[in-house]
Structure formats: C-alpha cells, structure tokens
Amino acid sequence: MFLLLPFDSLVVNLLGISITVLFTLLLVFIIVPAIFGVSFGIRKVYMKTLLKIFQWATLRIERGAKEKNHPLYKPYVNGIIAKEPTSLEEEIKEIRRSGSGKALDAPEFELSDIFYFCRKGIETIMDDEVTKRFSAEELESWNLLSRTNYNFHYISLRLTVLWGLGVLIRYCFLLPLRIALAFTGISLLVTGTTVVGYLPNGRCKEFLSKHVHLMCYRICVRALTAIITYHDRENRPRNGGICVANHTSPIDVIILASDGYYAMVGQVHGGLMGVIQRAMVKACPHVWFERSEVKDRHLVAKRLTEHVQDKSKLPILIFPEGTCINNTSVMMFKKGSFEIGATVYPVAIKYDPQFGDAFWNSSKYGMVTYLLRMMTSWAIVCSVWYLPPMTRQCDEDAVQFANRVKSAIARQGGLVDLLWSKEGEGERYIQGGATETLQQNDCRQP
C-alpha cells in the first residue's frame, strides 16, 4: 500500500496542475478579455480554418459523387420538399411508365394522370411560403455536423476519418469547455447582479450593473464560440427607446446584450431561469410580467409606456415576431410595441448556417436538446446591423409602422419580407415586395 502512495501523489499533483493551467487559460484568454470587451482574434482564425476544411470536404464529396455516379443533392428551393425542375409531360410519362402498359406518348387521358396534380396540390399545401420558414435551412455543402443527407454517405476513408475526428473534438473538447464557460457566465451574472442590487441607486450602481451584465453575456457568447460582426454601432439603441429585432433563436438575446445594455421584457419563470430573473431585476429595471398579466394587453402596454417615458431608463429589447423563424425571412410583427409612441431602433440579425444552425425549432427540440446542439456545433457566426432610429409618422397607424420597420430589417439582413393581410374571415400572406410604399415625412406622432 505504501508503495502506491508516491504514484497516487503524482496523479493528484498532475491533476491539480492541469486544473490550475485550465483555469489560468480561461482567466487570461476568456474572462479578462470579456471584462474589457477585447478579442485576441483566436475565434476568427478558427473560423477561417474551418472554412478551408469545409471547402475541401465539399470538393471531395463532389468528386467522389461524380466518380461513383451518385446524384449530388442540391436543393432547388429552400423548402420542406426537395423539387427538381421537371416538366409536366416528363412526370406524367414517368407515372404511366410505372403503372400502365399503354404508349407513353398516347394523347388519351388516363386515370393515373390525376396523381400528378394531386401530388402537386399536396406539395403546395405542405410547402407554402410560411410553413417552410419553420424548418431548418438546407445546406448545399457539408459542414461535418450531420450525415442525414444521402449525398453525405461514405465517399472516402479520409472523409469518414475527418468526420469522426470532428465528433471527438466537438463532444470531448469543445462541449466540456463550453459548459464550463456557460456555468461561469451564469454564476457570475447571478452573483454580480445580486451584489450590485444591494447598492443604493445612483451612477455607481448603474455603472457596475452595466459592466457586470456585459461581462457575463460576453462570457456566454464565448461559451458558444460566437463570432459576431457588428455594423453601424453609432445607431445602437439609446435610453427611452425600443430595440426591435428579427427572431431566430433564444441566443438572440445574448448576441445583442453582449454589445449593449438593455432592459429585458418577459414572463416570470421558475427554476434556474427564475433565479436569474430575480437576480437581474435587483440591479437593472427589467420588465417581468406574471403569467396572469401577460394576457392583459392594456396592462402590458401601460408598463412599457411608463418605462419608455422615463428617458433615464434603458432601451427595451423586444422581438415582435413572437416566435423563432429560420433566418430566411421576417414574419409579421405584432403591433403592441409600435403603439406606445416611442422611438424604435431596428436591428437585423443574420446567421451563417455553415458553422451551426442557430434556428430553434421548438416543435421538434426542447430547450435542453437545443442548447446541446448549439454547444456541439462548430461555432455560431452572425452579423448584426444597427439601423437608424425610426418614429411613427402622422399618417400611419401601428400596423403600418410595424410593417415599415419590418421591411427595413428584412432589406438590411437580406431576408424575405413576408406580410400578412386580412381577406374576409381568412388570412393570407404576400411578399413584402408587393406592399405599399409609405411616404415618409418629418411629422411625428404627438
């Protein structure tokens, strides 16, 4: 037994040294840069390296598919159903070939011909302009994250080894590191805001609260290896206004809050989220609603109006779509936040799906599963544009103002502008290009 003691002592010492080195690296390269809002450029080098690997993998797939005469899947539309550009005559011939012995070019009508029109009708219903906005974007190139597409099957040994190596890196190295960073960021957020909350109101409390929030959100951004490019920062939201943005993922909040100081709006939750909310509201005037209050539209509008009328309070961060869209379009904005007469600061967020799909399909994945997918992706890469502030004109109502803001966000982010309009008792949507152009002037809503 005594002979094992030196070995046990060596293992303990090595483990202690490893943990010390790990925490030192986290402190020097992540936490300290997060405090001061600087970056060493490591993530950008990492992104460029990934791009080169993806390009090589895509070329290898295309070459292998060509050598083995495998059809290379390329989506012709961004939809749920992959459609190839074939003519009506070709498809009817294919149906007749599989079900009838008659001549393929016979002009007579056959009962089997109706299957073509039935299928097209069902495809149109299933793959309409709205439904496909709630499904993930289909990539034309392989990002080494999934092999669900049949053109990503076994091509070569090197490609398979590369994919396996990627799995090991993402799950055995990146995932533990990101969990540690997320835990650090959330712990510091709860602890820091709780401590700051006990300070008397004043400039000191506001200063500390701002920097605690920014530091913790920047650590959480690094927990996702998020590479964010901010444009036109001179247009960042200011106190007494409302920041509105398109909504793709719950991490939209972290993306924006790591570059600005906002008052959040939301429903009171229990569990861990409730602990975070109660700690945050002690240091910053966030607007939390009880479950029974959320459905009271007038109460919500009153609370928001009182907040924006106080020009010393932070800008409110709102996602007026009310649901997550797959970052290919912008859906109808709810008019509530455009009725209270505040200056609106539009923000456009566009993610690059090459490195990881940020879209949260809440009908398919729970929050825990979604966060696991985010933390096992290569990175979250996105661009954020701050648009010039906008105010409601005298000749437009809240709906028209919301549509004008939405169109500006869609145009800047390169997204499809989808607009809903009423027709009798039903509803339909039309693309934003066909919407009426509103005449802008200097007259403001009193």
Side-chain angles (χ1 to χ4, degrees):
M1 178 177 180
F2 292 100
L3 294 176
L4 296 176
L5 287 177
F7 178 75
D8 292 343
S9 178
L10 178 62
V11 171
V12 171
N13 289 335
L14 289 176
L15 184 60
I17 293 173
S18 301
I19 294 174
T20 302
V21 170
L22 176 62
F23 277 100
T24 302
L25 292 175
L26 289 178
L27 183 67
V28 173
F29 290 101
I30 295 178
I31 297 178
V32 172
I35 294 174
F36 295 100
V38 297
S39 174
F40 293 119
I42 298 174
R43 285 174 293 170
K44 290 188 177 180
V45 173
Y46 169 71
M47 182 182 70
K48 291 179 181 179
T49 304
L50 285 177
L51 277 175
K52 292 182 179 180
I53 294 174
F54 294 163
Q55 290 172 359
W56 176 85
T58 301
L59 291 174
R60 187 66 188 88
I61 287 174
E62 292 175 349
R63 189 176 68 187
K66 186 177 181 180
E67 291 173 354
K68 299 183 179 181
N69 294 322
H70 289 153
L72 188 62
Y73 174 79
K74 296 277 186 181
Y76 291 95
V77 294
N78 179 30
I80 297 173
I81 303 171
K83 306 171 188 175
E84 296 187 3
T86 56
S87 65
L88 182 149
E89 292 81 3
E90 291 174 349
E91 295 208 24
I92 288 183
K93 284 181 181 180
E94 183 63 30
I95 293 173
R96 291 186 178 184
R97 184 180 294 112
S98 60
S100 174
K102 294 185 179 180
L104 298 180
D105 296 327
E108 295 84 3
F109 171 77
E110 288 192 16
L111 187 61
S112 62
D113 294 347
I114 67 173
F115 290 120
Y116 168 80
F117 301 99
C118 290
R119 191 186 72 189
K120 288 295 182 183
I122 294 173
E123 284 182 356
T124 302
I125 294 172
M126 295 294 296
D127 198 22
D128 62 87
E129 284 293 321
V130 173
T131 304
K132 64 187 178 185
R133 307 303 170 183
F134 296 94
S135 59
E137 281 188 86
E138 188 71 52
L139 293 178
E140 295 190 6
S141 60
W142 190 25
N143 58 6
L144 305 177
L145 286 179
S146 66
R147 307 189 73 154
T148 55
N149 231 319
Y150 71 80
N151 68 309
F152 297 155
H153 55 60
Y154 178 81
I155 295 294
S156 72
L157 180 61
R158 283 185 296 173
L159 204 57
T160 304
V161 169
L162 181 62
W163 174 77
L165 182 62
V167 171
L168 290 176
I169 292 174
R170 289 186 291 111
Y171 282 89
C172 299
F173 175 70
L174 292 180
L175 179 59
L177 176 62
R178 289 168 175 173
I179 290 176
L181 286 175
F183 178 79
T184 302
I186 294 173
S187 300
L188 288 176
L189 179 63
V190 173
T191 305
T193 52
T194 300
V195 172
V196 172
Y198 287 108
L199 298 177
N201 293 331
R203 291 186 177 181
C204 180
K205 180 178 180 178
E206 183 179 350
F207 176 84
L208 292 175
S209 176
K210 176 181 178 179
H211 286 83
V212 165
H213 278 83
L214 288 174
M215 176 189 69
C216 296
Y217 283 124
R218 287 166 181 165
I219 293 174
C220 291
V221 158
R222 284 161 171 79
L224 297 170
T225 316
I227 303 166
I228 313 166
T229 304
Y230 296 99
H231 304 271
D232 304 321
R233 282 182 164 174
E234 66 274 9
N235 295 325
R236 280 186 292 188
R238 298 180 181 178
N239 289 1
I242 297 178
C243 174
V244 299
N246 57 302
H247 199 23
T248 302
S249 160
I251 66 174
D252 293 340
V253 175
I254 302 174
I255 297 295
L256 294 178
S258 64
D259 189 54
Y261 189 31
Y262 299 95
M264 309 296 177
V265 178
Q267 180 179 310
V268 174
H269 293 275
L272 176 61
M273 184 61 70
V275 173
I276 297 173
Q277 286 181 318
R278 288 190 293 272
M280 289 173 61
V281 80
K282 292 178 182 177
C284 177
H286 298 289
V287 184
W288 305 132
F289 295 96
E290 296 292 341
R291 184 182 297 271
S292 59
E293 297 176 332
V294 173
K295 295 182 180 179
D296 190 338
R297 183 169 171 267
H298 296 289
L299 177 61
V300 172
K302 180 182 177 182
R303 292 273 302 276
L304 295 181
T305 302
E306 291 174 351
H307 184 99
V308 298
Q309 286 178 347
D310 187 346
K311 300 304 179 182
S312 65
K313 289 188 177 180
L314 301 175
I316 296 175
L317 178 58
I318 294 179
F319 301 99
E321 286 172 298
T323 186
C324 294
I325 311 299
N326 69 356
N327 210 226
T328 62
S329 62
V330 184
M331 301 287 281
M332 179 181 67
F333 280 2
K334 295 182 179 180
K335 65 177 183 178
S337 55
F338 299 91
E339 290 179 323
I340 59 181
T343 301
V344 171
Y345 295 85
V347 176
I349 306 174
K350 179 63 177 176
Y351 291 91
D352 187 344
Q354 286 187 90
F355 304 91
D357 187 11
F359 169 58
W360 181 34
N361 188 345
S362 57
S363 62
K364 188 175 181 181
Y365 304 109
M367 179 58 76
V368 175
T369 304
Y370 169 76
L371 291 177
L372 179 63
R373 288 169 61 86
M374 290 297 95
M375 289 190 171
T376 54
S377 64
W378 290 113
I380 300 298
V381 180
C382 71
S383 295
V384 176
W385 289 271
Y386 297 106
L387 279 67
M390 303 175 71
T391 55
R392 183 173 164 182
Q393 307 296 328
C394 291
D395 59 344
E396 62 183 1
D397 57 24
V399 174
Q400 292 173 323
F401 183 31
N403 287 334
R404 183 159 61 92
V405 173
K406 177 172 66 70
S407 297
I409 291 174
R411 191 164 50 248
Q412 181 62 72
L415 306 170
V416 178
D417 181 10
L418 295 179
L419 181 68
W420 290 65
S421 63
K422 292 271 187 177
E423 282 191 346
E425 294 182 359
E427 289 186 342
R428 71 177 176 91
Y429 53 87
I430 58 176
Q431 292 198 6
T435 59
E436 179 183 1
T437 302
L438 297 172
Q439 190 175 20
Q440 300 183 15
N441 51 54
D442 294 329
C443 181
R444 297 192 176 186
Q445 183 74 10

